[in-house]
Amino acid sequence: MDILLAEQYESEIGAPFTDSLTGLYNNGFFQISLANEVKRSERYGNVFSIAIIDVDSFSHFNLSHGPLEGDRLLKGIARIIRNNIREVDLAARYSGNSFVIIVTESNCQQTLVVADRIRNDVADKSNGDSTVSIGIASCPDDAATARMLITKANEALV
């Protein structure tokens, strides 16, 4: 009984910061973390990047396979993201079918390596049934504010 209570307590403690479906951090926690990384970059000159990961044709996938399969796909992609980033990096669910990662101490080229691994793993594990598009922006090279970093990464998705 005590073990179950401890597990429930642990689960609830993380709840305000995590996405209930994927277990990744939520957008609110990402925004706070991004603001802190920008401040750290300003103060110490650290380089970091963000990558926005968008599930391609997710609406069509949901219509074809149903929302339960759509949820399973999102959980699987979250697991792939988690397995392809370092412990010092941060992964979050950005919106319905989008994820974002903060890749610390990495420029765009270094982050592209991570993005390619994620993109390839998604395609491999779904047997080509699902793909992702990834846009990358680096601080301070591409932008020096959180808002502009997100804008630049979104523009890179197109």
Side-chain angles (χ1 to χ4, degrees):
M1 185 84 151
D2 287 17
I3 293 172
L4 180 59
L5 186 60
E7 287 174 358
Q8 288 175 334
Y9 177 77
E10 239 176 77
S11 173
E12 291 302 315
I13 291 298
F17 305 111
T18 58
D19 174 64
S20 60
L21 178 67
T22 64
L24 296 179
Y25 289 110
N26 62 27
N27 186 40
F29 190 79
F30 159 71
Q31 296 292 340
I32 292 166
S33 300
L34 179 59
N36 286 335
E37 284 300 322
V38 168
K39 288 176 190 170
R40 194 179 342 266
S41 178
E42 288 171 355
R43 174 132 171 108
Y44 301 109
N46 297 3
V47 173
F48 74 94
S49 297
I50 66 167
I52 296 179
I53 304 162
D54 189 52
V55 182
D56 298 328
S57 305
F58 185 69
S59 298
H60 183 268
F61 183 92
N62 256 354
L63 286 173
S64 300
H65 298 87
L68 291 177
E69 283 300 310
D71 285 353
R72 200 155 90 203
L73 174 65
L74 293 175
K75 288 179 191 177
I77 291 172
R79 192 170 26 261
I80 288 168
I81 292 169
R82 222 182 348 261
N83 290 339
N84 280 288
I85 63 172
R86 303 165 299 182
E87 284 187 24
V88 295
D89 300 330
L90 181 136
R93 187 167 179 199
Y94 186 60
S95 65
N97 66 315
S98 296
F99 301 91
V100 65
I101 54 176
I102 297 174
V103 188
T104 60
E105 302 294 327
S106 298
N107 61 27
C108 280
Q109 283 303 110
Q110 294 161 321
T111 303
L112 183 59
V113 172
V114 175
D116 282 341
R117 278 197 319 255
I118 291 168
R119 188 180 1 257
N120 291 332
D121 274 4
V122 169
D124 289 347
K125 291 199 169 62
S126 70
N127 296 320
D129 198 26
S130 297
T131 58
V132 294
S133 296
I134 304 176
I136 300 170
S138 181
C139 179
D141 297 338
D142 296 318
T145 67
R147 183 181 219 168
M148 283 308 298
L149 269 173
I150 292 169
T151 299
K152 293 288 187 178
N154 268 318
E155 288 172 355
L157 274 171
V158 178

